[in-house]
Amino acid sequence: MKKILILIFSMALCVTLAACNNNQAVNIDDNSKNSPLPASATGTDTLAEPNKPVDNLDDMYNAYFTALENLIQNHILPDGIDGGEQLCDMAENKFAVYDVDSDGKEELLLIYTTTYSGGWAGYVLDYDAETKKLQTELCEFTLLTFYDNGIIKAGWSHNQGLAGDFWPYSLYQYAPDSDSYVLVGMVDAWDKNYPGTDNQNNPFPSDIDKSGTGFVYYIMKDGRYDNTHPVDASEYNEWVNAHIGDASEIQIQYMDLTEENISKIGNGS
């Protein structure tokens, strides 16, 4: 399945992040021109201070309803981007309303997949009571895993080719001061069982694999793809535990994007 995903998505990421990443500058070296970049964590508006409490929840839910209605009717995504040509039923997109960042009010989550793979996107959207507009807390590829400590694990749209069964991802942490998600780091790996060398013709670095797992990992903390500094599984696990630790995965109950389902927003259904 992952080999199929590689073929389908190998050219998808740049287009996806061009749609999602309007404000974030990232450096890429010549050896990683096909490597994924961190997606936008704040969308089109960056808040100088946390959102004010929502006095009228109806306003928030109406904003969520209106954004999804606009997507169904006009194929316009909540951040104003054209959703592109629709290849299948809009009902195949998914949404949920859930307080994933634990700030006391529910966010709108959207998984958008009914266009070409380059336009697939996963959103975390929040309502700003002061501006009465939606803010994009995070826009990434659709492989989103939420944790109850404010962490989001965002799987990349494609495997770089050396990671085998390990799927590369970016890790984000919710930042209350900006009411957005900030990049913690990106992770890729190299599976010893994967034949061949890396893009610099280097063999698998067995001397780094001191734990003998058959994997080495690349932890990139500055938004720049870099596979020149592999680390052992022990160091990788220490890094993951420092951010996820004992946090539990939030089980999101997504609904199909239909008129009937979005009409339920705010009524407890």
Side-chain angles (χ1 to χ4, degrees), residues 72 88-94 114 255-259 261:
I72 291 176
C88 43
D89 191 338
M90 288 289 286
E92 295 189 19
N93 298 306
K94 308 294 180 183
T114 56
M255 294 187 288
D256 297 339
L257 184 62
T258 65
E259 298 277 4
N261 284 336

Side-chain angles (χ1 to χ4, degrees), residues 98-158:
Y98 194 99
D99 183 10
V100 293
D101 59 20
S102 299
D103 68 348
K105 51 190 174 65
E106 294 178 311
E107 287 74 47
L108 174 62
L109 313 179
L110 174 65
I111 303 297
Y112 182 69
T113 59
T114 56
T115 188
Y116 292 102
S117 57
W120 288 20
Y123 286 90
V124 179
L125 300 146
D126 190 24
Y127 177 72
D128 181 3
E130 184 174 4
T131 64
K132 299 187 183 302
K133 295 180 179 179
L134 296 188
Q135 309 290 338
T136 303
E137 290 190 2
L138 180 73
C139 177
E140 252 285 2
F141 190 63
T142 57
L143 301 177
L144 301 180
T145 303
F146 299 90
Y147 293 91
D148 61 6
N149 65 346
I151 287 286
I152 295 179
K153 183 178 181 180
W156 295 353
S157 65
H158 63 287

Side-chain angles (χ1 to χ4, degrees), residues 1 6 25 149 189:
M1 180 63 182
I6 295 170
N149 65 346

Side-chain angles (χ1 to χ4, degrees), residues 4-262:
I4 296 176
L5 284 173
I6 295 170
L7 294 173
I8 294 175
F9 297 139
S10 60
M11 300 301 295
L13 185 63
C14 291
V15 181
T16 300
L17 295 181
C20 296
N21 193 20
N22 293 328
N23 292 326
Q24 186 168 349
V26 186
N27 296 319
I28 296 296
D29 59 31
D30 293 338
N31 292 324
S32 59
K33 61 183 178 180
N34 294 321
S35 304
L37 312 182
S40 172
T42 57
T44 56
D45 295 306
T46 301
L47 303 180
E49 57 185 38
N51 281 352
K52 293 182 178 180
V54 179
D55 295 325
N56 188 345
L57 290 177
D58 287 341
D59 291 344
M60 181 182 76
Y61 292 129
N62 285 337
Y64 292 166
F65 171 87
T66 299
L68 296 180
E69 181 73 10
N70 194 33
L71 178 56
I72 291 176
Q73 296 296 331
N74 303 312
H75 303 163
I76 301 299
L77 290 160
D79 55 4
I81 294 174
D82 188 333
E85 182 180 349
Q86 298 302 299
L87 304 182
C88 43
D89 191 338
M90 288 289 286
E92 295 189 19
N93 298 306
K94 308 294 180 183
F95 79 95
V97 178
Y98 194 99
D99 183 10
V100 293
D101 59 20
S102 299
D103 68 348
K105 51 190 174 65
E106 294 178 311
E107 287 74 47
L108 174 62
L109 313 179
L110 174 65
I111 303 297
Y112 182 69
T113 59
T114 56
T115 188
Y116 292 102
S117 57
W120 288 20
Y123 286 90
V124 179
L125 300 146
D126 190 24
Y127 177 72
D128 181 3
E130 184 174 4
T131 64
K132 299 187 183 302
K133 295 180 179 179
L134 296 188
Q135 309 290 338
T136 303
E137 290 190 2
L138 180 73
C139 177
E140 252 285 2
F141 190 63
T142 57
L143 301 177
L144 301 180
T145 303
F146 299 90
Y147 293 91
D148 61 6
N149 65 346
I151 287 286
I152 295 179
K153 183 178 181 180
W156 295 353
S157 65
H158 63 287
N159 187 321
Q160 296 298 94
L162 298 176
D165 290 335
F166 178 89
W167 199 258
Y169 63 89
S170 299
L171 210 62
Y172 293 88
Q173 173 71 61
Y174 178 67
D177 289 346
S178 62
D179 194 31
S180 64
Y181 285 88
V182 296
L183 182 69
V184 173
M186 307 186 301
V187 181
D188 201 354
W190 187 347
D191 181 354
K192 185 177 183 179
N193 292 322
Y194 189 89
T197 59
D198 65 9
N199 57 4
Q200 298 174 351
N201 294 320
N202 296 313
F204 179 82
S206 297
D207 58 321
I208 302 296
D209 181 25
K210 299 184 185 303
S211 298
T213 63
F215 279 87
V216 294
Y217 299 86
Y218 306 98
I219 303 173
M220 299 153 273
K221 302 177 183 179
D222 60 357
R224 177 189 178 97
Y225 188 87
D226 181 5
N227 64 348
T228 61
H229 298 89
V231 299
D232 180 60
S234 60
E235 183 173 339
Y236 165 69
N237 290 331
E238 181 179 355
W239 181 82
V240 171
N241 288 332
H243 296 289
I244 298 180
D246 296 329
S248 298
E249 180 179 341
I250 301 174
Q251 301 299 323
I252 305 296
Q253 300 298 316
Y254 288 100
M255 294 187 288
D256 297 339
L257 184 62
T258 65
E259 298 277 4
E260 178 182 4
N261 284 336
I262 68 172

